[in-house]
Amino acid sequence: MSTANARHSIFPEWLRQTLDGLYLVSGWLAGLFLIAIFVIMLSLSAGRPIGLDVPAGDDFASWCMAATAFLGLAHTFRSGELIRMGLFIDRFSGVVRKVIEIACAAIGAAAMLYFAWYAVDMVWTSWKFNDISQGVIPVPLWIPQLGMAVGVVVLAIAFVDELLHLLFGGVPRYEKPAPKSEEEMIERIMESGA
């Protein structure tokens, strides 16, 4: 954590480390589900020529894909890699930019809290009514829905964390600092795949 961010931290150090750890674990889980997709797809592709059938492989791969997408959101957001509309906000500086950043974080937090509420409700409802998948292998639907719900809840926590950080005078942590040299700019462009 930079000196400027440490100075404006509203949370005790143990809570800050716990939240950052939560975002990192969520990112790691997204990576594990990505590996699971690879293994399932490889099994499906390699199994066909030798007569090996992976029952409901497509279902499991799609559930893993949803878990990968949602579990990776908070880590991506905190790493400054989530797509954001900088063309508008980069035109401002000072207090106006700070107010816009806070407004954007507040809108994002409200949207994610709303989405998280209904994602958790969907999982709860599926569990309560014992909804079962319609595929070859019957799976309780709350299990694959859990990846999405957990990912959205962690993203909502990240947005609220960032909103509180901004409200108490911190600088946006989801934004990478401007490159200091031409080489650093080229390196960032190469990392982004653009």
Side-chain angles (χ1 to χ4, degrees), residues 48-116:
R48 282 190 190 113
I50 59 172
L52 176 69
D53 183 34
V54 179
D58 293 337
D59 291 340
F60 288 109
S62 63
W63 293 331
C64 288
M65 192 174 300
T68 296
F70 284 99
L71 286 169
L73 288 173
H75 185 263
T76 305
F77 172 65
R78 284 304 305 271
S79 300
E81 299 294 336
L82 201 63
I83 297 171
R84 73 187 278 266
M85 300 297 290
L87 291 175
F88 174 73
I89 201 168
D90 288 343
R91 296 174 186 248
F92 299 98
S93 61
V95 175
V96 174
R97 182 179 177 124
K98 183 76 170 172
V99 168
I100 293 171
E101 291 279 4
I102 290 171
C104 290
I107 291 168
M112 287 303 102
L113 287 168
Y114 178 82
F115 192 13

Side-chain angles (χ1 to χ4, degrees), residues 8-9 13 33 46 50 71-72 78 110 118 120 138 147-148 156 166 168 170 175 177 187:
H8 293 291
S9 181
E13 187 61 29
F33 277 104
I50 59 172
L71 286 169
R78 284 304 305 271
Y118 284 101
V120 170
M148 179 194 72
L166 292 171
F168 283 90
E175 191 176 69
E187 184 178 323

Side-chain angles (χ1 to χ4, degrees), residues 1 5-6 8-23 78 157-158 160-162 164-165 173:
M1 186 183 307
N5 284 336
H8 293 291
S9 181
I10 62 166
F11 299 124
E13 187 61 29
W14 66 268
L15 183 55
R16 172 80 273 134
Q17 289 176 351
T18 302
L19 289 172
D20 290 341
L22 175 66
Y23 310 141
R78 284 304 305 271
I157 291 169
V160 170
D161 175 14
E162 194 62 31
L164 291 173
H165 176 74
R173 293 175 293 193

Side-chain angles (χ1 to χ4, degrees), residues 136-164:
V136 176
I137 298 176
V139 174
L141 279 179
W142 67 269
I143 295 172
Q145 292 170 347
L146 202 56
M148 179 194 72
V150 170
V152 173
V153 167
V154 174
L155 182 60
I157 291 169
F159 264 99
V160 170
D161 175 14
E162 194 62 31
L163 175 61
L164 291 173

